[in-house]
Amino acid sequence: MTAYEYRAGLEGVPATQSSISFVDGQKGILEYRGIAIEELAAKSTFLETTYLLIWGELPSREELSAFENEIQYHRRVKYRIRDMMKCFPESGHPMDALQASAAALGLFYSRRDLENPAYIRETVVRLVAKIPTMVAAFQLIRKGNDPVQPNDGLSYAENFLYMLNEKKPDPLAARILDISLTLHAEHTINASTFSAMVTASALTDPYAVVASAVGTLAGPLHGGANEEVITMLEAIGSVENVRPYLEDRLERKAKIMGFGHRVYKVKDPRAIILQDLAEQLFEKFGRDKYYDIATELERAVEEKLGNKGIYPNVDFYSGLVYRKLGIPLDLFTPVFAIARVPGWLAHWKEQLAENRIFRPTQIYTGVHDAPYIPIEERRSSMTTME
Ligand code: SDX
């Protein structure tokens, strides 16, 4: 067997062959099933894009309508899931609540009929339909209120904002959320999608696959960055403080949240679109004081780190959109999770079609033939613990 070169974080190492999405990090290109993200953001909807990602083609009018109706029918979650959430501490992070709830869904539905296209479809429908309901339910429950039932007269994005705020959203706000969900739906073999694939390759149930991906997405180096960006902008506090803040972070070798990407070495095409969406919201609902800080930070980071290919990624402007939509800070990453469910499930389905369990190797750096030392002869390493 050829000894492949070890690459930290598997950088540049293909983990699969996939036809779902394509990224050109030098040119700032993102395509879902060959269609440019700019086209989908402008002309498609999140549910139509979901269908495209999962089944590989844009649906006919009848196919789309049937899919939308199925999603609408399955939006409700079992009362036991809501009762379970009532046992969660209000102070818990909504991503942990979502990971627990996604795994719990598997208790209610058949676990493994993975060869059956009908099972694949019903699983996709249930997860795409129920994840938003669970995110909104925990939000109301942790505030001491009963969650509201989904409103069947509303579209996917409208209904999420309705369940969150208990009132019908502004049409522009709902449309902008729908576009943002499309932008976040899929992104080749990112960390959470890779988690989903590894879990899927063991042929476990799809609810565990999504729970695994949610846990990975929560990390601040991945989906958790959108929440960290707003915290960072709050810490900067003013345009005048942008450069001193940046100097300090760079001196301490600390990462600037919302910047950099393993693949993009130019501004993330999704960040470009999200910046425009933020500006549309500001025009209608008033500017966000952090926007000027954000654009100044983008200029300052480009001066300092542009030569290293470090530019805004998808998480840099998304938080400003979510803030203007009235979404609480610690729900930003759960909203990213709602959007990424189609991507995770598209790779779950693709993995199953030609599965081989993931089991990489390692370069061993330990010792051999070590003696078993009786406990009375062992010196305590507590004094030298690092
Ligand atoms: C997402 O993979 C995906 O597609 C993810 C995603 C998706 O849609 O699924 O696009 C969503 O997760 C976007 C990324 C959100 N994370 C952040 O914004 C956190 C901040 N970014 C960094 O942690 C970092 O850029 C990563 C994690 C995104 C990428 O890390 P890499 O590819 O492992 O890069 P690295 O850490 O090896 O850094 C390479 C160099 C280093 O400098 P040197 O030591 O070589 O001198 O670039 C520097 C790093 O210090 N660098 C940064 C930086 N990102 C990289 N320096 C300051 N600030 C940053 N943000």
Side-chain angles (χ1 to χ4, degrees):
M1 179 180 81
T2 312
Y4 291 99
E5 181 196 352
Y6 164 67
R7 301 293 300 273
L10 294 180
E11 179 167 8
V13 177
T16 189
Q17 298 183 104
S18 177
S19 60
I20 299 168
S21 65
F22 169 76
V23 171
D24 181 323
Q26 300 303 326
K27 296 178 186 161
I29 292 171
L30 169 58
E31 297 168 346
Y32 294 171
R33 300 288 187 183
I35 303 175
I37 192 64
E38 293 80 6
E39 283 280 281
L40 291 166
K43 300 174 183 171
S44 187
T45 63
F46 175 64
L47 287 185
E48 181 181 75
T49 298
T50 293
Y51 190 102
L52 170 70
L53 288 168
I54 303 281
W55 286 287
E57 290 177 351
L58 288 169
S60 68
R61 195 181 301 279
E62 295 72 26
E63 288 166 333
L64 178 57
S65 177
F67 185 58
E68 288 170 339
N69 291 337
E70 283 177 69
I71 296 284
Q72 180 174 289
Y73 180 79
H74 287 279
R75 284 170 170 170
R76 285 162 179 71
V77 292
K78 302 288 186 189
Y79 75 84
R80 287 191 175 89
I81 296 270
R82 297 198 301 273
D83 288 355
M84 175 182 76
M85 287 184 182
K86 289 174 184 170
C87 301
F88 294 164
E90 292 85 351
S91 57
H93 196 285
M95 280 299 276
D96 295 333
L98 179 57
Q99 186 177 27
S101 310
L105 277 179
L107 295 165
F108 295 91
Y109 305 111
S110 65
R111 289 160 57 78
R112 296 188 192 129
D113 190 4
L114 303 177
E115 309 278 328
N116 177 355
Y119 174 77
I120 300 282
R121 182 178 174 106
E122 77 182 14
T123 300
V124 165
V125 166
R126 282 192 171 122
L127 281 160
V128 170
K130 297 180 189 301
I131 296 283
T133 308
M134 296 194 297
V135 170
F138 182 65
Q139 170 62 5
L140 269 68
I141 286 169
R142 71 173 175 172
K143 291 171 71 173
N145 302 319
D146 276 324
V148 298
Q149 287 290 15
N151 182 330
D152 291 348
L154 300 179
S155 71
Y156 191 87
E158 281 176 331
N159 177 56
F160 175 66
L161 291 173
Y162 165 79
M163 293 189 294
L164 208 54
N165 302 316
E166 299 183 85
K167 64 177 187 297
K168 199 175 169 193
D170 173 276
L172 176 67
R175 174 63 187 145
I176 284 179
L177 176 60
D178 192 82
I179 295 170
S180 179
L181 294 174
T182 294
L183 293 172
H184 286 80
E186 157 67 9
H187 208 250
T188 74
I189 314 304
N190 58 84
S192 56
T193 296
F194 188 47
S195 285
M197 290 163 59
V198 172
T199 308
S201 75
L203 301 185
T204 188
D205 71 274
Y207 304 96
V209 168
V210 168
S212 170
V214 169
T216 307
L217 185 72
L221 292 189
H222 190 14
N226 56 17
E227 182 180 333
E228 299 289 333
V229 166
I230 297 298
T231 304
M232 172 183 69
L233 296 177
E234 287 170 344
I236 293 172
S238 69
V239 170
E240 295 68 33
N241 191 36
V242 163
R243 289 167 194 272
Y245 176 92
L246 179 59
E247 290 291 341
D248 173 61
R249 295 287 288 181
L250 296 181
E251 267 163 38
R252 293 191 285 115
K253 291 254 182 248
K255 296 282 178 38
I256 314 302
M257 290 292 122
F259 286 87
H261 200 278
R262 176 64 60 80
V263 180
Y264 290 122
K265 301 311 169 191
V266 294
K267 189 168 180 177
D268 188 323
R270 300 167 295 177
I272 295 170
I273 300 171
L274 282 160
Q275 189 171 1
D276 177 61
L277 296 178
E279 289 174 349
Q280 287 182 46
L281 287 169
F282 299 151
E283 197 174 316
K284 179 156 189 181
F285 302 112
R287 280 179 80 76
D288 184 316
K289 63 179 177 180
Y290 294 127
Y291 186 57
D292 294 335
I293 295 172
T295 52
E296 177 63 13
L297 181 59
E298 179 176 354
R299 279 188 290 275
V301 171
E302 180 167 356
E303 287 166 22
K304 294 280 186 189
L305 302 174
N307 62 331
K308 292 170 82 170
I310 295 165
Y311 290 89
N313 58 50
V314 68
D315 290 306
F316 187 59
Y317 286 108
S318 59
L320 290 169
V321 169
Y322 297 155
R323 260 168 64 87
K324 216 59 192 172
L325 294 176
I327 295 171
L329 181 61
D330 64 0
L331 288 191
F332 288 6
T333 310
V335 171
F336 192 155
I338 290 169
R340 188 52 58 90
V341 168
W344 294 331
L345 292 176
H347 285 276
W348 166 65
K349 181 170 174 284
E350 189 175 66
Q351 181 67 31
L352 291 179
E354 200 172 334
N355 186 48
R356 185 149 192 257
I357 192 167
F358 278 94
R359 203 299 185 199
T361 183
Q362 64 172 12
I363 295 172
Y364 180 61
T365 58
V367 297
H368 292 287
D369 307 322
Y372 179 81
I373 301 168
I375 194 162
E376 56 277 3
E377 295 174 21
R378 295 171 205 161
R379 68 183 164 65
S380 168
S381 57
M382 295 302 285
T383 48
T384 58
M385 191 72 81
E386 285 166 22

